[in-house]
Coordinates of all heavy atoms in Angstrom, one line a residue:
M1 N 35.6 -18.1 -59.3 CA 36.5 -18.1 -58.1 C 36.0 -17.1 -57.0 O 35.6 -16.0 -57.3 CB 37.9 -17.9 -58.6 CG 38.8 -17.4 -57.6 SD 40.5 -17.1 -58.4 CE 41.0 -15.6 -57.5
F2 N 36.0 -17.5 -55.8 CA 35.6 -16.7 -54.7 C 36.6 -15.6 -54.4 O 37.8 -15.8 -54.2 CB 35.4 -17.5 -53.5 CG 34.9 -16.8 -52.3 CD1 33.6 -16.2 -52.3 CD2 35.6 -16.6 -51.2 CE1 33.1 -15.6 -51.3 CE2 35.1 -15.9 -50.1 CZ 33.8 -15.4 -50.1
D3 N 36.2 -14.4 -54.5 CA 37.1 -13.3 -54.4 C 37.2 -12.8 -52.9 O 36.4 -12.0 -52.4 CB 36.7 -12.1 -55.2 CG 37.8 -11.1 -55.4 OD1 38.7 -11.0 -54.5 OD2 37.8 -10.4 -56.5
K4 N 38.2 -13.4 -52.2 CA 38.3 -13.1 -50.8 C 38.6 -11.7 -50.5 O 38.2 -11.1 -49.5 CB 39.5 -14.0 -50.2 CG 39.0 -15.4 -49.8 CD 40.1 -16.0 -49.1 CE 39.8 -17.5 -48.9 NZ 41.0 -18.3 -48.6
E5 N 39.4 -11.1 -51.4 CA 39.7 -9.7 -51.1 C 38.5 -8.8 -51.1 O 38.4 -7.9 -50.2 CB 40.7 -9.2 -52.2 CG 42.1 -9.7 -52.0 CD 42.6 -9.5 -50.5 OE1 42.6 -8.4 -50.1 OE2 43.0 -10.5 -49.9
I6 N 37.6 -9.0 -52.0 CA 36.4 -8.1 -52.1 C 35.6 -8.4 -50.9 O 35.1 -7.5 -50.2 CB 35.6 -8.4 -53.4 CG1 36.3 -7.8 -54.6 CG2 34.2 -7.8 -53.3 CD1 35.7 -8.0 -55.9
F7 N 35.4 -9.6 -50.5 CA 34.6 -10.0 -49.3 C 35.2 -9.3 -48.1 O 34.5 -8.7 -47.3 CB 34.7 -11.5 -49.2 CG 33.8 -12.0 -48.1 CD1 32.4 -11.9 -48.2 CD2 34.3 -12.6 -46.9 CE1 31.6 -12.4 -47.1 CE2 33.5 -13.1 -45.9 CZ 32.1 -12.9 -46.0
K8 N 36.5 -9.4 -48.0 CA 37.2 -8.8 -46.8 C 37.0 -7.3 -46.8 O 36.8 -6.7 -45.7 CB 38.7 -9.1 -46.9 CG 39.4 -9.1 -45.6 CD 40.9 -9.6 -45.8 CE 41.8 -8.9 -44.8 NZ 43.0 -8.4 -45.4
A9 N 37.1 -6.7 -47.9 CA 36.9 -5.3 -48.0 C 35.5 -4.8 -47.6 O 35.4 -3.9 -46.9 CB 37.2 -4.8 -49.5
V10 N 34.5 -5.6 -48.0 CA 33.2 -5.3 -47.6 C 33.0 -5.4 -46.1 O 32.4 -4.5 -45.5 CB 32.2 -6.2 -48.3 CG1 30.8 -6.1 -47.7 CG2 32.1 -5.9 -49.8
I11 N 33.5 -6.5 -45.5 CA 33.4 -6.7 -44.1 C 34.1 -5.5 -43.3 O 33.6 -5.0 -42.4 CB 34.1 -8.0 -43.7 CG1 33.3 -9.2 -44.3 CG2 34.2 -8.1 -42.2 CD1 31.9 -9.4 -43.7
E12 N 35.3 -5.1 -43.8 CA 36.0 -4.1 -43.2 C 35.2 -2.7 -43.3 O 35.2 -1.9 -42.4 CB 37.4 -3.9 -43.8 CG 38.4 -4.9 -43.1 CD 39.7 -5.0 -43.9 OE1 39.9 -4.2 -44.8 OE2 40.5 -5.8 -43.5
E13 N 34.6 -2.6 -44.4 CA 33.8 -1.4 -44.6 C 32.7 -1.3 -43.6 O 32.4 -0.2 -43.1 CB 33.3 -1.3 -46.0 CG 33.0 0.1 -46.5 CD 32.6 0.1 -48.0 OE1 33.4 -0.4 -48.8 OE2 31.5 0.6 -48.3
I14 N 32.0 -2.4 -43.4 CA 30.9 -2.4 -42.5 C 31.4 -2.2 -41.1 O 30.8 -1.4 -40.3 CB 30.2 -3.8 -42.5 CG1 29.5 -4.0 -43.9 CG2 29.2 -4.0 -41.4 CD1 29.0 -5.4 -44.1
A15 N 32.5 -2.8 -40.7 CA 33.1 -2.6 -39.4 C 33.5 -1.1 -39.2 O 33.2 -0.5 -38.2 CB 34.3 -3.5 -39.2
D16 N 34.1 -0.5 -40.3 CA 34.5 0.9 -40.2 C 33.3 1.8 -40.0 O 33.4 2.7 -39.2 CB 35.2 1.3 -41.5 CG 36.6 0.8 -41.5 OD1 37.1 0.4 -40.5 OD2 37.3 1.0 -42.6
T17 N 32.3 1.5 -40.7 CA 31.1 2.3 -40.7 C 30.5 2.4 -39.3 O 30.1 3.4 -38.8 CB 30.0 1.8 -41.6 OG1 30.6 1.7 -42.9 CG2 28.8 2.8 -41.7
R18 N 30.6 1.3 -38.6 CA 30.1 1.2 -37.2 C 30.9 2.1 -36.2 O 30.4 2.6 -35.3 CB 30.0 -0.2 -36.7 CG 28.8 -0.9 -37.3 CD 28.5 -2.2 -36.6 NE 27.4 -2.8 -37.3 CZ 27.3 -4.2 -37.4 NH1 28.2 -4.9 -36.9 NH2 26.3 -4.7 -38.0
E19 N 32.2 2.1 -36.5 CA 33.0 2.8 -35.6 C 33.3 4.3 -35.9 O 33.7 5.0 -35.1 CB 34.4 2.1 -35.5 CG 34.3 0.8 -34.7 CD 35.6 0.1 -34.7 OE1 36.7 0.7 -34.8 OE2 35.6 -1.2 -34.6
V20 N 32.9 4.6 -37.1 CA 33.3 5.9 -37.6 C 32.4 7.0 -36.9 O 31.3 6.7 -36.5 CB 33.2 6.0 -39.1 CG1 31.8 6.5 -39.5 CG2 34.3 6.9 -39.7
E21 N 33.0 8.1 -36.6 CA 32.2 9.2 -36.1 C 32.5 10.4 -37.0 O 33.6 10.6 -37.5 CB 32.7 9.6 -34.7 CG 32.2 8.6 -33.6 CD 32.8 9.0 -32.3 OE1 33.3 10.1 -32.1 OE2 32.8 8.1 -31.4
I22 N 31.4 11.2 -37.2 CA 31.6 12.3 -38.0 C 31.9 13.5 -37.1 O 31.6 13.6 -35.9 CB 30.4 12.6 -38.9 CG1 29.1 12.8 -38.1 CG2 30.2 11.5 -39.9 CD1 27.9 13.2 -38.9
G23 N 32.5 14.5 -37.7 CA 32.8 15.8 -37.0 C 31.7 16.8 -37.2 O 30.7 16.5 -37.9
C24 N 31.9 17.9 -36.6 CA 30.9 19.0 -36.6 C 30.6 19.5 -38.1 O 29.5 19.7 -38.4 CB 31.3 20.2 -35.8 SG 31.3 19.8 -34.0
N25 N 31.7 19.5 -38.9 CA 31.5 20.0 -40.2 C 30.6 19.1 -41.0 O 29.7 19.5 -41.7 CB 32.8 20.2 -40.9 CG 33.6 21.4 -40.5 OD1 33.0 22.3 -39.8 ND2 34.9 21.4 -40.7
E26 N 30.9 17.8 -40.9 CA 30.1 16.8 -41.7 C 28.7 16.8 -41.1 O 27.7 16.6 -41.9 CB 30.7 15.4 -41.5 CG 32.0 15.2 -42.4 CD 32.8 14.1 -41.9 OE1 33.5 14.3 -40.9 OE2 32.6 13.0 -42.5
C27 N 28.6 16.9 -39.8 CA 27.3 16.9 -39.2 C 26.5 18.1 -39.7 O 25.3 17.9 -40.1 CB 27.4 17.0 -37.7 SG 25.8 16.9 -36.9
F28 N 27.1 19.2 -39.7 CA 26.4 20.4 -40.2 C 26.0 20.3 -41.6 O 24.9 20.8 -42.0 CB 27.4 21.6 -40.0 CG 26.7 22.9 -40.2 CD1 25.8 23.4 -39.2 CD2 26.9 23.7 -41.3 CE1 25.2 24.6 -39.3 CE2 26.2 24.9 -41.5 CZ 25.4 25.4 -40.5
E29 N 26.9 19.7 -42.5 CA 26.5 19.6 -43.9 C 25.3 18.7 -44.1 O 24.5 18.9 -45.0 CB 27.7 18.9 -44.6 CG 28.8 19.8 -45.1 CD 30.0 19.1 -45.6 OE1 29.8 17.9 -46.0 OE2 31.1 19.7 -45.6
Q30 N 25.1 17.8 -43.2 CA 24.0 16.9 -43.4 C 22.8 17.2 -42.5 O 21.7 16.6 -42.7 CB 24.4 15.4 -43.1 CG 25.6 15.0 -44.0 CD 26.0 13.6 -43.7 OE1 25.2 12.7 -43.7 NE2 27.3 13.4 -43.4
L31 N 22.9 18.2 -41.7 CA 21.9 18.5 -40.7 C 20.6 18.9 -41.3 O 19.5 18.5 -40.9 CB 22.4 19.6 -39.8 CG 21.7 19.7 -38.4 CD1 21.7 18.3 -37.7 CD2 22.4 20.7 -37.5
G32 N 20.7 19.7 -42.4 CA 19.5 20.2 -43.1 C 18.6 19.1 -43.6 O 17.4 19.0 -43.4
R33 N 19.3 18.1 -44.2 CA 18.6 16.9 -44.7 C 18.0 16.1 -43.6 O 16.9 15.6 -43.7 CB 19.6 16.1 -45.6 CG 18.9 15.2 -46.5 CD 19.7 15.0 -47.8 NE 21.0 14.4 -47.5 CZ 21.2 13.1 -47.6 NH1 20.3 12.3 -47.9 NH2 22.4 12.6 -47.4
F34 N 18.8 16.0 -42.5 CA 18.3 15.2 -41.4 C 17.1 15.8 -40.8 O 16.1 15.1 -40.6 CB 19.5 15.2 -40.3 CG 19.2 14.4 -39.1 CD1 19.5 13.0 -39.2 CD2 18.6 14.9 -38.0 CE1 19.3 12.2 -38.1 CE2 18.4 14.1 -36.9 CZ 18.8 12.7 -36.9
V35 N 17.0 17.1 -40.7 CA 15.9 17.8 -40.1 C 14.7 17.7 -41.1 O 13.5 17.4 -40.6 CB 16.2 19.3 -39.9 CG1 14.9 20.1 -39.5 CG2 17.2 19.4 -38.7
E36 N 14.9 17.8 -42.4 CA 13.8 17.7 -43.3 C 13.2 16.3 -43.3 O 12.0 16.2 -43.3 CB 14.3 17.9 -44.7 CG 14.4 19.4 -45.1 CD 15.0 19.7 -46.4 OE1 15.0 18.8 -47.3 OE2 15.5 20.8 -46.6
M37 N 14.0 15.3 -43.1 CA 13.5 13.9 -43.0 C 12.7 13.8 -41.8 O 11.6 13.2 -41.8 CB 14.7 12.9 -43.0 CG 15.3 12.7 -44.4 SD 16.5 11.4 -44.3 CE 15.4 10.0 -44.3
E38 N 13.2 14.3 -40.7 CA 12.5 14.2 -39.4 C 11.2 14.9 -39.5 O 10.2 14.3 -39.1 CB 13.4 15.0 -38.4 CG 12.9 14.9 -37.0 CD 13.5 13.7 -36.2 OE1 14.3 13.0 -36.8 OE2 13.2 13.6 -35.0
L39 N 11.1 16.0 -40.1 CA 9.8 16.7 -40.3 C 8.9 16.1 -41.3 O 7.7 16.2 -41.2 CB 10.1 18.2 -40.7 CG 10.7 19.1 -39.6 CD1 11.0 20.4 -40.2 CD2 9.8 19.2 -38.4
S40 N 9.4 15.3 -42.2 CA 8.6 14.6 -43.2 C 8.1 13.3 -42.6 O 7.4 12.5 -43.3 CB 9.4 14.3 -44.5 OG 10.0 15.5 -44.9
G41 N 8.4 13.0 -41.4 CA 8.0 11.8 -40.7 C 8.8 10.6 -41.2 O 8.4 9.4 -40.9
L42 N 9.9 10.8 -41.8 CA 10.8 9.7 -42.2 C 11.8 9.4 -41.1 O 11.9 10.2 -40.2 CB 11.6 10.1 -43.5 CG 10.8 10.4 -44.7 CD1 11.7 11.1 -45.8 CD2 10.2 9.1 -45.2
D43 N 12.3 8.2 -41.2 CA 13.2 7.7 -40.1 C 14.6 8.3 -40.3 O 15.5 7.6 -40.8 CB 13.2 6.2 -40.1 CG 13.7 5.7 -38.7 OD1 14.3 6.5 -38.0 OD2 13.5 4.5 -38.5
A44 N 14.8 9.5 -39.9 CA 16.1 10.2 -40.1 C 17.2 9.5 -39.3 O 18.3 9.4 -39.8 CB 16.0 11.7 -39.7
V45 N 16.8 9.1 -38.1 CA 17.8 8.4 -37.3 C 18.4 7.2 -37.9 O 19.6 6.9 -37.9 CB 17.2 8.1 -35.9 CG1 18.2 7.2 -35.1 CG2 16.8 9.3 -35.2
R46 N 17.5 6.4 -38.6 CA 18.0 5.2 -39.2 C 18.7 5.5 -40.5 O 19.7 4.8 -40.9 CB 16.8 4.3 -39.5 CG 17.1 2.9 -39.6 CD 15.9 2.0 -39.5 NE 16.1 0.8 -40.1 CZ 15.1 -0.1 -40.4 NH1 13.9 0.3 -40.2 NH2 15.4 -1.2 -41.0
A47 N 18.2 6.5 -41.2 CA 18.8 6.8 -42.5 C 20.2 7.5 -42.4 O 21.1 7.3 -43.2 CB 17.9 7.7 -43.3
M48 N 20.3 8.3 -41.3 CA 21.5 9.0 -41.1 C 22.0 8.8 -39.7 O 22.0 9.8 -38.9 CB 21.3 10.5 -41.4 CG 20.8 10.7 -42.8 SD 20.2 12.4 -43.1 CE 21.8 13.2 -43.5
P49 N 22.4 7.6 -39.3 CA 22.8 7.3 -37.9 C 24.0 8.1 -37.4 O 24.1 8.4 -36.3 CB 23.1 5.8 -38.0 CG 23.3 5.5 -39.4 CD 22.5 6.4 -40.2
L50 N 24.8 8.4 -38.4 CA 26.0 9.2 -37.9 C 25.7 10.6 -37.5 O 26.3 11.1 -36.5 CB 27.1 9.2 -39.1 CG 27.7 7.8 -39.4 CD1 28.7 8.0 -40.6 CD2 28.3 7.2 -38.3
V51 N 24.8 11.2 -38.1 CA 24.3 12.5 -37.7 C 23.7 12.4 -36.3 O 24.0 13.2 -35.4 CB 23.4 13.1 -38.7 CG1 22.8 14.4 -38.2 CG2 24.1 13.3 -40.1
H52 N 22.8 11.4 -36.2 CA 22.2 11.2 -34.9 C 23.2 10.9 -33.8 O 23.1 11.5 -32.7 CB 21.2 10.0 -35.1 CG 20.5 9.7 -33.8 ND1 20.8 8.6 -33.1 CD2 19.6 10.3 -33.1 CE1 20.1 8.6 -32.0 NE2 19.3 9.6 -31.9
D53 N 24.1 10.1 -34.1 CA 25.2 9.8 -33.1 C 25.9 11.1 -32.7 O 26.1 11.3 -31.5 CB 26.2 8.8 -33.6 CG 25.7 7.4 -33.7 OD1 24.6 7.2 -33.1 OD2 26.4 6.5 -34.2
H54 N 26.2 11.9 -33.7 CA 26.9 13.1 -33.4 C 26.1 14.0 -32.5 O 26.6 14.7 -31.6 CB 27.4 13.8 -34.7 CG 28.3 15.0 -34.4 ND1 29.6 14.9 -34.2 CD2 28.0 16.3 -34.3 CE1 30.1 16.1 -33.9 NE2 29.2 17.0 -34.0
L55 N 24.8 14.1 -32.8 CA 23.9 15.0 -32.0 C 23.8 14.5 -30.6 O 23.6 15.3 -29.7 CB 22.5 15.0 -32.6 CG 22.4 15.6 -34.0 CD1 21.0 15.5 -34.5 CD2 22.8 17.1 -33.9
Q56 N 24.1 13.2 -30.3 CA 24.0 12.7 -29.0 C 25.3 13.2 -28.2 O 25.2 13.3 -26.9 CB 24.0 11.2 -28.9 CG 22.8 10.5 -29.7 CD 21.5 11.0 -29.1 OE1 21.2 10.9 -27.9 NE2 20.7 11.6 -30.0
I57 N 26.3 13.4 -28.9 CA 27.6 13.7 -28.1 C 28.0 15.1 -28.2 O 28.9 15.5 -27.6 CB 28.7 12.7 -28.6 CG1 29.0 12.9 -30.1 CG2 28.5 11.3 -28.3 CD1 30.3 12.3 -30.6
C58 N 27.4 15.9 -29.1 CA 27.8 17.2 -29.3 C 26.7 18.3 -29.1 O 25.8 18.4 -29.8 CB 28.3 17.4 -30.8 SG 29.0 19.0 -31.1
G59 N 26.9 19.0 -28.0 CA 25.8 20.0 -27.6 C 25.7 21.1 -28.6 O 24.6 21.5 -28.8
E60 N 26.8 21.5 -29.2 CA 26.7 22.6 -30.2 C 25.9 22.2 -31.4 O 25.0 23.0 -31.8 CB 28.1 22.9 -30.7 CG 28.8 24.1 -30.0 CD 30.2 24.3 -30.5 OE1 30.3 24.7 -31.7 OE2 31.1 24.0 -29.8
C61 N 26.1 21.0 -31.9 CA 25.3 20.6 -33.0 C 23.9 20.3 -32.7 O 23.0 20.5 -33.5 CB 26.0 19.4 -33.7 SG 27.5 19.8 -34.5
R62 N 23.7 19.9 -31.4 CA 22.3 19.6 -31.0 C 21.5 20.9 -30.9 O 20.4 21.0 -31.3 CB 22.3 18.9 -29.7 CG 21.0 18.2 -29.4 CD 21.1 17.1 -28.3 NE 21.7 17.6 -27.1 CZ 22.8 17.1 -26.5 NH1 23.3 16.0 -26.9 NH2 23.3 17.7 -25.4
D63 N 22.2 22.0 -30.4 CA 21.6 23.3 -30.4 C 21.2 23.7 -31.8 O 20.1 24.2 -32.1 CB 22.5 24.3 -29.8 CG 22.7 24.2 -28.3 OD1 21.8 23.5 -27.7 OD2 23.5 24.9 -27.7
E64 N 22.2 23.5 -32.7 CA 22.0 23.9 -34.2 C 20.8 23.1 -34.7 O 19.9 23.6 -35.4 CB 23.2 23.6 -34.9 CG 23.3 24.2 -36.3 CD 23.3 25.7 -36.2 OE1 24.0 26.3 -35.3 OE2 22.7 26.4 -37.0
F65 N 20.7 21.8 -34.4 CA 19.6 20.9 -34.8 C 18.3 21.5 -34.3 O 17.3 21.5 -35.1 CB 19.9 19.5 -34.3 CG 18.7 18.6 -34.4 CD1 18.3 18.1 -35.6 CD2 18.0 18.2 -33.3 CE1 17.2 17.2 -35.7 CE2 17.0 17.3 -33.3 CZ 16.6 16.8 -34.6
E66 N 18.2 21.9 -33.1 CA 17.0 22.4 -32.5 C 16.5 23.7 -33.2 O 15.4 23.9 -33.4 CB 17.1 22.5 -31.0 CG 16.7 21.1 -30.4 CD 17.3 21.0 -28.9 OE1 17.5 22.0 -28.3 OE2 17.4 19.8 -28.5
V67 N 17.5 24.5 -33.4 CA 17.2 25.8 -34.1 C 16.6 25.5 -35.5 O 15.6 26.1 -35.9 CB 18.5 26.7 -34.2 CG1 18.3 27.8 -35.2 CG2 18.9 27.2 -32.8
L68 N 17.3 24.6 -36.2 CA 16.8 24.3 -37.6 C 15.4 23.7 -37.5 O 14.6 24.0 -38.3 CB 17.8 23.3 -38.2 CG 18.9 23.9 -39.2 CD1 19.8 22.7 -39.6 CD2 18.2 24.5 -40.4
L69 N 15.3 22.8 -36.6 CA 14.0 22.1 -36.5 C 12.9 23.1 -36.2 O 11.8 23.0 -36.8 CB 14.1 21.1 -35.3 CG 13.0 20.0 -35.2 CD1 13.1 19.1 -36.4 CD2 13.2 19.2 -33.9
T70 N 13.1 24.0 -35.3 CA 12.1 25.0 -35.0 C 11.8 25.9 -36.1 O 10.7 26.2 -36.5 CB 12.6 25.8 -33.8 OG1 13.0 25.0 -32.7 CG2 11.6 26.8 -33.3
A71 N 12.9 26.3 -36.8 CA 12.8 27.2 -38.0 C 12.0 26.5 -39.1 O 11.0 27.1 -39.7 CB 14.1 27.6 -38.5
L72 N 12.3 25.3 -39.4 CA 11.6 24.6 -40.5 C 10.2 24.2 -40.2 O 9.3 24.2 -41.0 CB 12.4 23.3 -40.9 CG 13.7 23.6 -41.7 CD1 14.4 22.3 -42.0 CD2 13.3 24.2 -43.1
R73 N 10.0 23.9 -38.9 CA 8.7 23.6 -38.4 C 7.8 24.8 -38.6 O 6.6 24.7 -39.0 CB 8.7 23.1 -37.0 CG 7.6 22.3 -36.6 CD 7.8 21.7 -35.2 NE 8.2 20.3 -35.2 CZ 8.9 19.7 -34.2 NH1 9.2 20.4 -33.2 NH2 9.2 18.5 -34.3
A74 N 8.3 26.0 -38.2 CA 7.6 27.2 -38.3 C 7.2 27.5 -39.8 O 6.1 27.9 -40.1 CB 8.4 28.4 -37.7
T75 N 8.2 27.3 -40.6 CA 7.9 27.5 -42.1 C 6.9 26.5 -42.6 O 6.0 26.9 -43.4 CB 9.3 27.2 -42.9 OG1 10.3 27.9 -42.2 CG2 9.1 27.6 -44.3
G76 N 6.9 25.3 -42.1 CA 6.0 24.3 -42.6 C 4.6 24.6 -42.1 O 3.6 24.3 -42.9
D77 N 4.4 25.2 -41.0 CA 3.1 25.5 -40.5 C 2.5 26.7 -41.2 O 1.2 26.8 -41.2 CB 3.2 25.8 -38.9 CG 3.4 24.6 -38.1 OD1 3.2 23.5 -38.7 OD2 3.8 24.6 -37.0
A78 N 3.3 27.6 -41.7 CA 2.8 28.8 -42.3 C 1.9 28.5 -43.5 O 2.2 27.5 -44.2 CB 3.9 29.7 -42.6
Ligands
ZN101 ZN1 29.2 18.8 -33.4

């Protein structure tokens, strides 16, 4: 039997995911991983779109992102 409830829940989850925005705390928690992926040449934007979205709208986190990026890049070069 076709489970409409599960189907509906999945659809709602997808819709929610598209609209959801993360806050600075969540962004900060995931920022390290985001930067590491970026530096590894992985598609961080695609893997963690919410972090990317937040960086577009939040100057504070974008500053933090750039600091981390610079710091990790310097470490990697050493
Ligand atoms: Zn923020």
Side-chain angles (χ1 to χ4, degrees):
M1 157 182 142
F2 184 66
D3 197 332
K4 272 189 193 160
E5 283 310 306
I6 287 179
F7 185 68
K8 203 173 150 226
V10 169
I11 294 293
E12 275 170 7
E13 201 173 308
I14 292 168
D16 278 354
T17 307
R18 281 196 184 143
E19 281 174 32
V20 93
E21 282 177 18
I22 57 172
C24 292
N25 286 343
E26 285 161 279
C27 181
F28 191 75
E29 275 171 23
Q30 299 181 55
L31 200 55
R33 201 148 60 93
F34 187 85
V35 172
E36 275 175 24
M37 283 187 76
E38 186 92 358
L39 289 175
S40 308
L42 297 169
D43 199 344
V45 172
R46 204 164 156 196
M48 302 169 82
L50 294 179
V51 174
H52 177 253
D53 283 353
H54 186 82
L55 292 175
Q56 301 302 304
I57 58 166
C58 181
E60 261 178 71
C61 288
R62 202 161 51 230
D63 285 350
E64 195 64 40
F65 167 72
E66 272 159 25
V67 168
L68 262 176
L69 194 65
T70 307
L72 282 176
R73 201 173 261 158
T75 310
D77 285 346

